[in-house]
């Protein structure tokens, strides 16, 4: 007799290794990690964790976080890990927002609010 299908928020792949794939959401390329049934849409994630990388970094910089934390597919239920890639900004590197370098340099030299 086959096991019953997973309920919403429950993964059939408890303890299984995380799968990885890339998808575009709202115009941003994202690296995704999660149980195969969550990535395929057959199960609803119980938790969604989104990591935004820093200036000049890449979405793949955080890809090892789930395994480093020991949070495999069965640890926190069916967790979906999302790592979006920032667009290339004014400083010709990936950035989520534009930094005013002159203002930042002035604040670091004179102190905040000076």
């Amino acid at each position: 007799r086959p096991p019953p299908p997973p309920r919403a928020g429950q993964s059939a792949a408890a303890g299984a290794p995380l799968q990885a794939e890339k998808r575009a959401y709202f115009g941003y390329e994202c690296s995704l990690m999660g149980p195969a049934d969550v990535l395929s849409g057959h199960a609803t994630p119980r938790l969604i964790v989104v990591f935004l990388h820093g200036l000049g970094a890449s979405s793949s910089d955080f890809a090892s976080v789930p395994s480093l934390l020991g949070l495999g597919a069965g640890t926190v239920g069916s967790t979906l890990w999302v790592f979006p890639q920032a667009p290339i900004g004014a400083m010709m590197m990936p950035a989520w927002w534009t930094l005013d370098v002159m203002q930042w340099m002035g604040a670091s030299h004179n102190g905040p609010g000076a």
Side-chain angles (χ1 to χ4, degrees):
R1 183 173 167 194
R7 292 176 289 170
Q10 180 182 29
S11 172
L18 297 175
Q19 303 293 312
E21 66 178 57
K22 292 195 180 277
R23 289 188 197 161
Y25 288 109
F26 303 102
Y28 295 99
E29 183 70 27
C30 298
S31 298
L32 305 175
M33 293 183 74
D37 56 350
V38 169
L39 292 178
S40 69
H42 290 102
T44 303
R46 181 174 172 205
L47 195 66
I48 298 175
V49 179
V50 179
F51 275 85
L52 298 179
H53 62 78
L55 178 65
S58 165
S59 61
S60 62
D61 290 353
F62 287 114
S64 61
V65 168
S67 61
L68 290 173
L69 296 175
L71 302 176
T75 308
V76 190
S78 54
T79 302
L80 176 63
W81 300 84
V82 182
F83 308 98
Q85 177 62 45
I88 301 299
M91 297 174 64
M92 302 310 295
M93 61 179 80
W96 291 107
W97 54 85
T98 301
L99 298 175
D100 185 333
V101 177
M102 296 307 289
Q103 183 180 13
W104 178 80
M105 288 174 57
S108 65
H109 184 264
N110 300 324

